[in-house]
Amino acid sequence: SNWEWNPIDSKWEKDFLKLQKYKVETDGSNPLPKEEHNGFRVGSWVVQQRVKYRNDMLTEEQIRRLEDLENWTWDPGDLEWTNKFNATVKYAQREGRLKVGTSYREDGLLIGKWIAHQRGCHKKGILSKERQRLMESIPGWQWNPVEDAWMTNFLALKNFTETNQLQELSESNLV
């Protein structure tokens, strides 16, 4: 017989197994919100679980099982941020600098645009203190690289003119 004591738990279990299968077949990646897999709206189901979690509507067992999944996160924004942060650190450590165009990618991640976005959030005062601290831990990090470069060059010029006691500039001492 198909009698079930708790049809809601049974449905959750079937859907969880579909998510597990998805993760196995996609090397542990997290589905996008509108993603489907074998006719199952896996992305939508994951979004629902995150909402239920925030509203204390999942059992401890359901929470544990979801958290045991590879790369599971309750906040996908945090995971994306962390991945781009790690890629930025990798680049900075390898190159010894952090000068990238907005279209630059590291490990397939668009970190150039992400870096510009972090600076913009900081300027608007909406970057958390924790993320601000993490960004400042990146080798060579600058919140405003254009202003910093201008000040560095200005101070170098000031030091040069004081050290060399430059008089009036003329063509003869510019050569």
Side-chain angles (χ1 to χ4, degrees), residues 4-24:
E4 296 171 8
W5 284 105
N6 191 334
I8 293 170
D9 285 351
S10 176
K11 169 91 170 102
W12 190 92
E13 182 64 28
K14 287 175 187 165
D15 291 347
F16 177 80
L17 293 173
K18 290 174 186 174
L19 172 62
Q20 249 182 341
K21 187 173 195 272
Y22 169 88
K23 286 194 151 285
V24 166

PDB file of all heavy atoms in Angstrom, residues 4-24:
ATOM      1  N   GLU A   4       1.186   6.678   3.904  1.00  0.00           N
ATOM      2  CA  GLU A   4       2.327   7.365   4.505  1.00  0.00           C
ATOM      3  C   GLU A   4       1.854   8.045   5.776  1.00  0.00           C
ATOM      4  O   GLU A   4       0.819   8.712   5.777  1.00  0.00           O
ATOM      5  CB  GLU A   4       2.889   8.408   3.532  1.00  0.00           C
ATOM      6  CG  GLU A   4       3.446   7.786   2.261  1.00  0.00           C
ATOM      7  CD  GLU A   4       3.813   8.843   1.211  1.00  0.00           C
ATOM      8  OE1 GLU A   4       3.772  10.047   1.523  1.00  0.00           O
ATOM      9  OE2 GLU A   4       4.126   8.440   0.089  1.00  0.00           O
ATOM     10  N   TRP A   5       2.625   7.873   6.854  1.00  0.00           N
ATOM     11  CA  TRP A   5       2.275   8.506   8.121  1.00  0.00           C
ATOM     12  C   TRP A   5       2.338  10.025   8.005  1.00  0.00           C
ATOM     13  O   TRP A   5       1.529  10.733   8.541  1.00  0.00           O
ATOM     14  CB  TRP A   5       3.212   8.042   9.242  1.00  0.00           C
ATOM     15  CG  TRP A   5       2.873   6.663   9.694  1.00  0.00           C
ATOM     16  CD1 TRP A   5       3.566   5.513   9.421  1.00  0.00           C
ATOM     17  CD2 TRP A   5       1.739   6.270  10.460  1.00  0.00           C
ATOM     18  NE1 TRP A   5       2.929   4.435   9.973  1.00  0.00           N
ATOM     19  CE2 TRP A   5       1.805   4.877  10.624  1.00  0.00           C
ATOM     20  CE3 TRP A   5       0.653   6.958  11.022  1.00  0.00           C
ATOM     21  CZ2 TRP A   5       0.856   4.154  11.328  1.00  0.00           C
ATOM     22  CZ3 TRP A   5      -0.288   6.238  11.730  1.00  0.00           C
ATOM     23  CH2 TRP A   5      -0.184   4.850  11.870  1.00  0.00           C
ATOM     24  N   ASN A   6       3.375  10.497   7.313  1.00  0.00           N
ATOM     25  CA  ASN A   6       3.517  11.947   7.182  1.00  0.00           C
ATOM     26  C   ASN A   6       3.853  12.288   5.734  1.00  0.00           C
ATOM     27  O   ASN A   6       5.013  12.297   5.356  1.00  0.00           O
ATOM     28  CB  ASN A   6       4.596  12.466   8.132  1.00  0.00           C
ATOM     29  CG  ASN A   6       4.578  13.983   8.211  1.00  0.00           C
ATOM     30  OD1 ASN A   6       4.150  14.664   7.281  1.00  0.00           O
ATOM     31  ND2 ASN A   6       5.056  14.515   9.315  1.00  0.00           N
ATOM     32  N   PRO A   7       2.839  12.562   4.926  1.00  0.00           N
ATOM     33  CA  PRO A   7       3.086  12.834   3.505  1.00  0.00           C
ATOM     34  C   PRO A   7       3.977  14.054   3.260  1.00  0.00           C
ATOM     35  O   PRO A   7       4.698  14.105   2.284  1.00  0.00           O
ATOM     36  CB  PRO A   7       1.686  13.038   2.921  1.00  0.00           C
ATOM     37  CG  PRO A   7       0.773  13.237   4.073  1.00  0.00           C
ATOM     38  CD  PRO A   7       1.430  12.632   5.275  1.00  0.00           C
ATOM     39  N   ILE A   8       3.962  15.033   4.178  1.00  0.00           N
ATOM     40  CA  ILE A   8       4.804  16.223   4.015  1.00  0.00           C
ATOM     41  C   ILE A   8       6.280  15.838   4.135  1.00  0.00           C
ATOM     42  O   ILE A   8       7.106  16.214   3.309  1.00  0.00           O
ATOM     43  CB  ILE A   8       4.409  17.326   5.023  1.00  0.00           C
ATOM     44  CG1 ILE A   8       3.009  17.843   4.686  1.00  0.00           C
ATOM     45  CG2 ILE A   8       5.426  18.465   5.002  1.00  0.00           C
ATOM     46  CD1 ILE A   8       2.399  18.743   5.727  1.00  0.00           C
ATOM     47  N   ASP A   9       6.618  15.053   5.180  1.00  0.00           N
ATOM     48  CA  ASP A   9       8.000  14.599   5.351  1.00  0.00           C
ATOM     49  C   ASP A   9       8.433  13.722   4.182  1.00  0.00           C
ATOM     50  O   ASP A   9       9.566  13.790   3.726  1.00  0.00           O
ATOM     51  CB  ASP A   9       8.160  13.820   6.665  1.00  0.00           C
ATOM     52  CG  ASP A   9       8.167  14.745   7.878  1.00  0.00           C
ATOM     53  OD1 ASP A   9       8.223  15.981   7.684  1.00  0.00           O
ATOM     54  OD2 ASP A   9       8.111  14.230   9.011  1.00  0.00           O
ATOM     55  N   SER A  10       7.523  12.887   3.696  1.00  0.00           N
ATOM     56  CA  SER A  10       7.820  11.989   2.586  1.00  0.00           C
ATOM     57  C   SER A  10       8.136  12.791   1.318  1.00  0.00           C
ATOM     58  O   SER A  10       9.073  12.485   0.595  1.00  0.00           O
ATOM     59  CB  SER A  10       6.648  11.053   2.350  1.00  0.00           C
ATOM     60  OG  SER A  10       6.892  10.245   1.233  1.00  0.00           O
ATOM     61  N   LYS A  11       7.361  13.847   1.064  1.00  0.00           N
ATOM     62  CA  LYS A  11       7.601  14.722  -0.099  1.00  0.00           C
ATOM     63  C   LYS A  11       8.943  15.418   0.050  1.00  0.00           C
ATOM     64  O   LYS A  11       9.713  15.516  -0.899  1.00  0.00           O
ATOM     65  CB  LYS A  11       6.454  15.740  -0.202  1.00  0.00           C
ATOM     66  CG  LYS A  11       6.689  16.865  -1.189  1.00  0.00           C
ATOM     67  CD  LYS A  11       6.174  16.526  -2.569  1.00  0.00           C
ATOM     68  CE  LYS A  11       6.196  17.721  -3.494  1.00  0.00           C
ATOM     69  NZ  LYS A  11       7.316  17.709  -4.413  1.00  0.00           N
ATOM     70  N   TRP A  12       9.250  15.920   1.262  1.00  0.00           N
ATOM     71  CA  TRP A  12      10.535  16.578   1.509  1.00  0.00           C
ATOM     72  C   TRP A  12      11.665  15.601   1.208  1.00  0.00           C
ATOM     73  O   TRP A  12      12.645  15.966   0.552  1.00  0.00           O
ATOM     74  CB  TRP A  12      10.627  17.076   2.956  1.00  0.00           C
ATOM     75  CG  TRP A  12      11.831  17.961   3.179  1.00  0.00           C
ATOM     76  CD1 TRP A  12      11.857  19.321   3.066  1.00  0.00           C
ATOM     77  CD2 TRP A  12      13.162  17.551   3.505  1.00  0.00           C
ATOM     78  NE1 TRP A  12      13.136  19.780   3.306  1.00  0.00           N
ATOM     79  CE2 TRP A  12      13.958  18.715   3.581  1.00  0.00           C
ATOM     80  CE3 TRP A  12      13.774  16.315   3.738  1.00  0.00           C
ATOM     81  CZ2 TRP A  12      15.308  18.691   3.880  1.00  0.00           C
ATOM     82  CZ3 TRP A  12      15.129  16.280   4.033  1.00  0.00           C
ATOM     83  CH2 TRP A  12      15.895  17.461   4.105  1.00  0.00           C
ATOM     84  N   GLU A  13      11.525  14.382   1.687  1.00  0.00           N
ATOM     85  CA  GLU A  13      12.560  13.363   1.487  1.00  0.00           C
ATOM     86  C   GLU A  13      12.787  13.101  -0.004  1.00  0.00           C
ATOM     87  O   GLU A  13      13.933  13.050  -0.464  1.00  0.00           O
ATOM     88  CB  GLU A  13      12.163  12.063   2.194  1.00  0.00           C
ATOM     89  CG  GLU A  13      13.197  10.966   2.092  1.00  0.00           C
ATOM     90  CD  GLU A  13      14.522  11.296   2.773  1.00  0.00           C
ATOM     91  OE1 GLU A  13      14.536  12.086   3.740  1.00  0.00           O
ATOM     92  OE2 GLU A  13      15.550  10.768   2.317  1.00  0.00           O
ATOM     93  N   LYS A  14      11.717  12.953  -0.765  1.00  0.00           N
ATOM     94  CA  LYS A  14      11.837  12.704  -2.215  1.00  0.00           C
ATOM     95  C   LYS A  14      12.532  13.882  -2.896  1.00  0.00           C
ATOM     96  O   LYS A  14      13.398  13.689  -3.750  1.00  0.00           O
ATOM     97  CB  LYS A  14      10.452  12.461  -2.830  1.00  0.00           C
ATOM     98  CG  LYS A  14       9.868  11.115  -2.472  1.00  0.00           C
ATOM     99  CD  LYS A  14       8.443  10.981  -3.011  1.00  0.00           C
ATOM    100  CE  LYS A  14       7.814   9.689  -2.492  1.00  0.00           C
ATOM    101  NZ  LYS A  14       6.367   9.664  -2.663  1.00  0.00           N
ATOM    102  N   ASP A  15      12.147  15.104  -2.516  1.00  0.00           N
ATOM    103  CA  ASP A  15      12.750  16.293  -3.120  1.00  0.00           C
ATOM    104  C   ASP A  15      14.220  16.445  -2.704  1.00  0.00           C
ATOM    105  O   ASP A  15      15.061  16.838  -3.513  1.00  0.00           O
ATOM    106  CB  ASP A  15      11.948  17.549  -2.753  1.00  0.00           C
ATOM    107  CG  ASP A  15      10.577  17.574  -3.434  1.00  0.00           C
ATOM    108  OD1 ASP A  15      10.356  16.770  -4.371  1.00  0.00           O
ATOM    109  OD2 ASP A  15       9.737  18.399  -3.026  1.00  0.00           O
ATOM    110  N   PHE A  16      14.511  16.131  -1.454  1.00  0.00           N
ATOM    111  CA  PHE A  16      15.894  16.176  -0.983  1.00  0.00           C
ATOM    112  C   PHE A  16      16.762  15.212  -1.787  1.00  0.00           C
ATOM    113  O   PHE A  16      17.881  15.557  -2.188  1.00  0.00           O
ATOM    114  CB  PHE A  16      15.969  15.833   0.518  1.00  0.00           C
ATOM    115  CG  PHE A  16      17.380  15.785   1.029  1.00  0.00           C
ATOM    116  CD1 PHE A  16      18.054  16.956   1.348  1.00  0.00           C
ATOM    117  CD2 PHE A  16      18.047  14.571   1.181  1.00  0.00           C
ATOM    118  CE1 PHE A  16      19.376  16.920   1.805  1.00  0.00           C
ATOM    119  CE2 PHE A  16      19.350  14.528   1.636  1.00  0.00           C
ATOM    120  CZ  PHE A  16      20.020  15.701   1.954  1.00  0.00           C
ATOM    121  N   LEU A  17      16.253  14.001  -2.041  1.00  0.00           N
ATOM    122  CA  LEU A  17      17.002  13.019  -2.832  1.00  0.00           C
ATOM    123  C   LEU A  17      17.244  13.526  -4.256  1.00  0.00           C
ATOM    124  O   LEU A  17      18.300  13.280  -4.837  1.00  0.00           O
ATOM    125  CB  LEU A  17      16.285  11.669  -2.835  1.00  0.00           C
ATOM    126  CG  LEU A  17      16.243  10.963  -1.472  1.00  0.00           C
ATOM    127  CD1 LEU A  17      15.361   9.712  -1.540  1.00  0.00           C
ATOM    128  CD2 LEU A  17      17.647  10.622  -0.970  1.00  0.00           C
ATOM    129  N   LYS A  18      16.277  14.276  -4.796  1.00  0.00           N
ATOM    130  CA  LYS A  18      16.457  14.872  -6.124  1.00  0.00           C
ATOM    131  C   LYS A  18      17.553  15.936  -6.094  1.00  0.00           C
ATOM    132  O   LYS A  18      18.358  16.046  -7.028  1.00  0.00           O
ATOM    133  CB  LYS A  18      15.139  15.474  -6.629  1.00  0.00           C
ATOM    134  CG  LYS A  18      14.093  14.429  -6.971  1.00  0.00           C
ATOM    135  CD  LYS A  18      12.761  15.086  -7.337  1.00  0.00           C
ATOM    136  CE  LYS A  18      11.663  14.057  -7.530  1.00  0.00           C
ATOM    137  NZ  LYS A  18      10.349  14.688  -7.749  1.00  0.00           N
ATOM    138  N   LEU A  19      17.594  16.723  -5.008  1.00  0.00           N
ATOM    139  CA  LEU A  19      18.662  17.720  -4.851  1.00  0.00           C
ATOM    140  C   LEU A  19      20.021  17.019  -4.729  1.00  0.00           C
ATOM    141  O   LEU A  19      20.998  17.445  -5.342  1.00  0.00           O
ATOM    142  CB  LEU A  19      18.415  18.604  -3.626  1.00  0.00           C
ATOM    143  CG  LEU A  19      19.567  19.555  -3.243  1.00  0.00           C
ATOM    144  CD1 LEU A  19      19.848  20.565  -4.363  1.00  0.00           C
ATOM    145  CD2 LEU A  19      19.245  20.284  -1.933  1.00  0.00           C
ATOM    146  N   GLN A  20      20.065  15.960  -3.941  1.00  0.00           N
ATOM    147  CA  GLN A  20      21.306  15.191  -3.785  1.00  0.00           C
ATOM    148  C   GLN A  20      21.806  14.700  -5.137  1.00  0.00           C
ATOM    149  O   GLN A  20      22.992  14.812  -5.449  1.00  0.00           O
ATOM    150  CB  GLN A  20      21.056  13.978  -2.881  1.00  0.00           C
ATOM    151  CG  GLN A  20      21.717  14.059  -1.547  1.00  0.00           C
ATOM    152  CD  GLN A  20      21.472  12.805  -0.714  1.00  0.00           C
ATOM    153  OE1 GLN A  20      20.556  12.023  -0.959  1.00  0.00           O
ATOM    154  NE2 GLN A  20      22.301  12.643   0.280  1.00  0.00           N
ATOM    155  N   LYS A  21      20.907  14.156  -5.938  1.00  0.00           N
ATOM    156  CA  LYS A  21      21.241  13.640  -7.267  1.00  0.00           C
ATOM    157  C   LYS A  21      21.768  14.778  -8.149  1.00  0.00           C
ATOM    158  O   LYS A  21      22.770  14.625  -8.846  1.00  0.00           O
ATOM    159  CB  LYS A  21      20.009  12.995  -7.905  1.00  0.00           C
ATOM    160  CG  LYS A  21      20.272  12.291  -9.214  1.00  0.00           C
ATOM    161  CD  LYS A  21      19.013  11.538  -9.673  1.00  0.00           C
ATOM    162  CE  LYS A  21      19.307  10.541 -10.751  1.00  0.00           C
ATOM    163  NZ  LYS A  21      19.276  10.990 -12.085  1.00  0.00           N
ATOM    164  N   TYR A  22      21.106  15.930  -8.085  1.00  0.00           N
ATOM    165  CA  TYR A  22      21.549  17.103  -8.833  1.00  0.00           C
ATOM    166  C   TYR A  22      22.989  17.455  -8.458  1.00  0.00           C
ATOM    167  O   TYR A  22      23.833  17.696  -9.309  1.00  0.00           O
ATOM    168  CB  TYR A  22      20.620  18.293  -8.566  1.00  0.00           C
ATOM    169  CG  TYR A  22      21.162  19.610  -9.082  1.00  0.00           C
ATOM    170  CD1 TYR A  22      20.911  20.012 -10.391  1.00  0.00           C
ATOM    171  CD2 TYR A  22      21.930  20.430  -8.262  1.00  0.00           C
ATOM    172  CE1 TYR A  22      21.421  21.204 -10.873  1.00  0.00           C
ATOM    173  CE2 TYR A  22      22.437  21.625  -8.740  1.00  0.00           C
ATOM    174  CZ  TYR A  22      22.193  22.002 -10.046  1.00  0.00           C
ATOM    175  OH  TYR A  22      22.714  23.197 -10.519  1.00  0.00           O
ATOM    176  N   LYS A  23      23.270  17.500  -7.152  1.00  0.00           N
ATOM    177  CA  LYS A  23      24.602  17.877  -6.679  1.00  0.00           C
ATOM    178  C   LYS A  23      25.661  16.880  -7.142  1.00  0.00           C
ATOM    179  O   LYS A  23      26.761  17.279  -7.502  1.00  0.00           O
ATOM    180  CB  LYS A  23      24.613  18.064  -5.166  1.00  0.00           C
ATOM    181  CG  LYS A  23      23.924  19.354  -4.752  1.00  0.00           C
ATOM    182  CD  LYS A  23      24.233  19.682  -3.317  1.00  0.00           C
ATOM    183  CE  LYS A  23      24.222  21.133  -3.011  1.00  0.00           C
ATOM    184  NZ  LYS A  23      25.314  21.932  -3.441  1.00  0.00           N
ATOM    185  N   VAL A  24      25.324  15.593  -7.144  1.00  0.00           N
ATOM    186  CA  VAL A  24      26.266  14.567  -7.618  1.00  0.00           C
ATOM    187  C   VAL A  24      26.571  14.795  -9.103  1.00  0.00           C
ATOM    188  O   VAL A  24      27.720  14.738  -9.529  1.00  0.00           O
ATOM    189  CB  VAL A  24      25.702  13.144  -7.383  1.00  0.00           C
ATOM    190  CG1 VAL A  24      26.494  12.100  -8.157  1.00  0.00           C
ATOM    191  CG2 VAL A  24      25.688  12.825  -5.895  1.00  0.00           C
TER     192      VAL A  24
END
